[in-house]
Amino acid sequence: MKIFVLFAPRFLEWPLAIAHRLSETKNISIMGLATGTRDVFERVSASSDPVISPLDFLDDLERQWLSTPFDEKRARRHEKRLGPGITGRIITADRQVGIGLVGGGVIPETSLIKITKDFEMIRRYVGGLLGYFFDILESNKPDLVLCYGVAGSVALSLSQVAGCLNIPFRMFMHARIGGRRIIDDSPKNIGLLAPAGATFEKALNNPLMLAHALPEARRYLEQFRSKTVPPDYMFFHQKALKKKLQYKSIFSNATKDLARVVYRLLRRPVMPLRSVSPWALFKHNFLTSIRARGLIKDSLFVKPEELPKAGFAYFPLHMEPEASTMVIAPMHSNQMAIIEALAKSLPLDMYLLVKEHTPMLGLRPKGFYERLSRIPRVFLASPYMDSASLIKKAALTCVITGTAAWEAILLEKPALIVGDSPFLAIGEGYVHCRDVTKLPWAIDKAINLAPVGDERLTLYLAALFDQSFDFPRESFWGDVTEDTVSENPEILDNICKRLMNSCSGQDCGNEK
């Protein structure tokens, strides 16, 4: 069995442990691409059980692509194989190459951002990226591609090329219930929790197949409605913001960032093209923290008692840049444009309440909030306002892809979804409208929409529970070490078991 792995700073120890575990029962060979700093590449290179080969380092490849003249004929062949629009999706998904498309967020500049301001360099980069994945996957013919998730251009390109070559692709997606994750298997419909959707479709004709998961699903729905509990990453963001706003944390982090500046000046290590310089990182972190405190102090956001006594539609802002828009909904990544379209489409007796997303405080570009507040009928809600309470009070909850629509469906409240979403699989309880010119009619329909029936909703929840497993955020995105993996054997068992089960019926290698 051959597995191609996209290694990353936050997805390093888990894939190494997965490879070791699978090698105990299968003839297995691992190859891959290491992203991040050279430390990641060296850690993977040091693996001996099993040996990871061939193994490439992204920064080396990026420098090579950017120094190689653009091959127009080759690029056209790749685009033809992948379909129209793929290069635009890749550029949009890249927070650095596509920096001009990040209109609602601020990120520090890197060498790659500077270089790819040149159109020729964008062509070289994207052409080289696609060419690499076609070459490496076609020449090595892996049985499986494993990725932590699709959150940028590299992972997106890998997923699309794997899909084109009919190579099974697996990634980890949050199930939007607690700390559970699903090993998703769809390279084309990124982020749509395809295994849960497919299981739900089958269960509609045969509910008994999910009988084992229905009691847990019913309990979850009952508990959610009695005391709304957001996914675990929401708690992480709230905790991070509270810490971010403390002067003690601001100056502690600034001291650490300055230490990196001194280290860089003394040692002068080679920095990857995607890395932020220590000095730029220091300025970015310090200024955004101070700006976040200022936003709260200046009372930019409307107090609950100051809101009009009228019906309202609720729109929670997404993080930006973030895969939820740039990867899953690339044609709807301009949140300002979506908000304008919603405000233009509401009936006269309603206003639009826009709530900031907790981790974005201090990270919006200058003038962003002022521009929003000038749009007629738009009011800005503080990130400290309780989202669940707003959903319950709103005549309609509107999102691009966000979790708030899922919470509205669970709470039997109308939802309007502009982009793609895994919860479209439910088929009821929301209105889906990709075309913003049709929003007036979509809003009118959504406001008067009947909620999805509990039987159908519980069946979808059962499919989520059936296809997911506990994988808390801190064990996935946190500072994961070898100890983290060894202390969570049940997570490793679940991953390996589900990876093998998802490969059943496909040529995924032979048992030892």
Side-chain angles (χ1 to χ4, degrees):
M1 181 181 185
K2 296 181 182 179
I3 303 178
F4 184 96
V5 179
L6 183 62
F7 294 96
R10 298 291 186 181
F11 190 63
L12 178 57
E13 298 303 334
W14 283 112
L16 289 174
I18 292 166
H20 175 69
R21 173 64 62 84
L22 294 180
S23 68
E24 295 176 344
T25 58
K26 283 183 172 291
N27 293 312
I28 188 170
S29 63
I30 306 292
M31 63 195 80
L33 173 64
T35 65
T37 61
R38 191 165 288 276
D39 291 347
V40 177
F41 175 75
E42 292 173 351
R43 172 72 179 93
V44 180
S45 299
S47 172
S48 58
D49 188 16
V51 173
I52 315 296
S53 179
L55 175 68
D56 292 304
F57 180 41
L58 179 63
D59 188 61
D60 290 342
L61 293 172
E62 289 176 331
R63 295 174 189 273
Q64 177 185 325
W65 301 336
L66 292 168
S67 63
T68 303
F70 177 64
D71 189 334
E72 189 170 342
K73 290 183 178 179
R74 190 179 188 222
R76 283 182 178 175
R77 287 198 303 271
H78 294 155
E79 284 188 277
K80 186 174 181 180
R81 295 178 73 178
L82 294 170
I86 185 60
T87 52
R89 284 187 65 193
I90 291 170
I91 293 169
T92 304
D94 197 299
R95 305 169 191 203
Q96 299 194 21
V97 178
I99 183 65
L101 298 170
V102 184
V106 176
I107 61 174
E109 193 167 64
T110 66
S111 295
L112 186 61
I113 290 175
K114 295 176 183 177
I115 293 170
T116 52
K117 288 178 181 178
D118 184 337
F119 169 60
E120 172 62 19
M121 292 304 177
I122 293 177
R123 296 205 303 171
R124 290 184 182 188
Y125 186 89
V126 177
L129 179 60
L130 289 176
Y132 168 76
F133 281 127
F134 268 113
D135 289 346
I136 195 75
L137 296 185
E138 286 187 305
S139 61
N140 288 281
K141 297 180 174 59
D143 302 296
L144 179 69
V145 171
L146 180 62
C147 184
Y148 60 96
V150 178
S153 64
V154 177
L156 177 62
S157 299
L158 174 58
S159 74
Q160 299 307 294
V161 174
C164 176
L165 300 176
N166 295 313
I167 299 172
F169 178 86
R170 303 291 182 265
M171 62 180 174
F172 295 87
M173 292 299 300
H174 199 285
R176 301 297 194 276
I177 45 177
R180 301 180 71 87
R181 297 185 189 275
I182 287 177
I183 298 179
D184 211 339
D185 62 2
S186 175
K188 294 295 182 182
N189 300 317
I190 300 298
L192 299 189
L193 306 180
T199 300
F200 173 66
E201 285 296 320
K202 293 177 183 177
L204 288 173
N205 296 319
N206 179 21
L208 289 178
M209 66 179 283
L210 287 175
H212 63 285
L214 284 170
E216 191 172 18
R218 293 191 186 100
R219 282 196 301 272
Y220 179 84
L221 183 58
E222 181 180 343
Q223 291 170 1
F224 187 89
R225 287 175 176 172
S226 62
K227 185 180 180 181
T228 305
V229 179
D232 66 340
Y233 59 81
M234 294 294 188
F235 294 110
F236 174 86
H237 290 324
Q238 292 166 3
K239 183 179 178 181
L241 175 62
K242 185 177 180 180
K243 185 176 181 180
K244 176 181 179 179
L245 296 180
Q246 295 174 350
Y247 278 123
K248 180 181 178 181
S249 293
I250 292 174
F251 289 105
S252 173
N253 291 332
T255 301
K256 293 177 183 176
D257 289 340
L258 281 174
R260 294 188 185 99
V261 174
V262 174
Y263 174 84
R264 173 77 189 278
L265 290 172
L266 295 175
R267 301 292 296 273
R268 298 188 179 278
V270 176
M271 300 287 291
L273 294 176
R274 288 183 174 273
S275 291
V276 179
S277 74
W279 177 245
L281 184 64
F282 164 74
K283 290 193 296 182
H284 175 77
N285 289 342
F286 185 75
L287 292 176
T288 54
S289 296
I290 296 298
R291 192 180 301 132
R293 284 189 63 93
L295 288 170
I296 297 299
K297 184 179 179 180
D298 292 344
S299 301
L300 177 68
F301 305 103
V302 177
K303 296 180 175 63
E305 62 270 18
E306 296 173 345
L307 290 171
K309 304 299 181 183
F312 67 92
Y314 170 51
F315 181 88
L317 284 164
H318 290 257
M319 286 185 67
E320 194 171 354
E322 182 69 4
S324 59
T325 53
M326 300 178 74
V327 173
I328 300 176
M331 292 299 180
H332 300 104
S333 60
N334 187 337
Q335 296 190 79
M336 190 73 74
I338 298 299
I339 291 168
E340 285 186 5
L342 288 169
K344 294 171 183 176
S345 304
L346 291 172
L348 186 58
D349 62 346
M350 289 181 63
Y351 65 93
L352 183 64
L353 185 62
V354 176
K355 177 181 175 291
E356 181 54 287
H357 194 23
T358 306
M360 286 302 297
L361 262 186
L363 291 172
R364 299 290 181 190
K366 185 178 180 181
F368 181 86
Y369 298 115
E370 287 77 10
R371 173 71 186 90
L372 272 184
S373 63
R374 289 199 301 269
I375 301 174
R377 298 194 287 176
V378 168
F379 293 83
L380 292 172
S382 164
Y384 290 116
M385 291 185 73
D386 181 58
S387 184
S389 297
L390 294 176
I391 291 171
K392 292 174 182 177
K393 295 174 183 176
L396 176 64
T397 295
C398 310
V399 303
I400 300 176
T401 65
T403 304
W406 169 233
E407 295 175 346
I409 292 169
L410 290 171
L411 294 170
E412 301 178 285
K413 299 291 291 184
L416 174 67
I417 302 171
V418 177
D420 283 330
S421 167
F423 315 116
L424 298 178
I426 299 172
E428 298 177 11
Y430 62 85
V431 171
H432 186 211
C433 182
R434 287 196 182 98
D435 186 350
V436 295
T437 66
K438 297 178 180 178
L439 278 177
W441 294 272
I443 288 173
D444 182 67
K445 180 180 179 181
I447 290 172
N448 299 293
L449 195 66
V452 60
D454 276 4
E455 184 177 347
R456 189 180 185 94
L457 183 55
T458 303
L459 197 63
Y460 181 73
L461 275 167
L464 286 177
F465 276 108
D466 176 70
Q467 291 296 313
S468 66
F469 58 98
D470 280 321
F471 201 160
R473 190 188 193 286
E474 61 271 16
S475 299
F476 187 73
W477 288 118
D479 295 323
V480 178
T481 64
E482 291 182 78
D483 288 340
T484 306
V485 176
S486 63
E487 291 166 2
N488 291 277
E490 70 287 350
I491 294 178
L492 182 61
D493 290 343
N494 254 316
I495 293 172
C496 293
K497 176 183 176 182
R498 289 172 184 272
L499 278 176
M500 291 301 95
N501 286 346
S502 71
C503 280
S504 61
Q506 301 183 56
D507 183 13
C508 284
N510 300 313
E511 299 286 341
K512 278 188 177 177

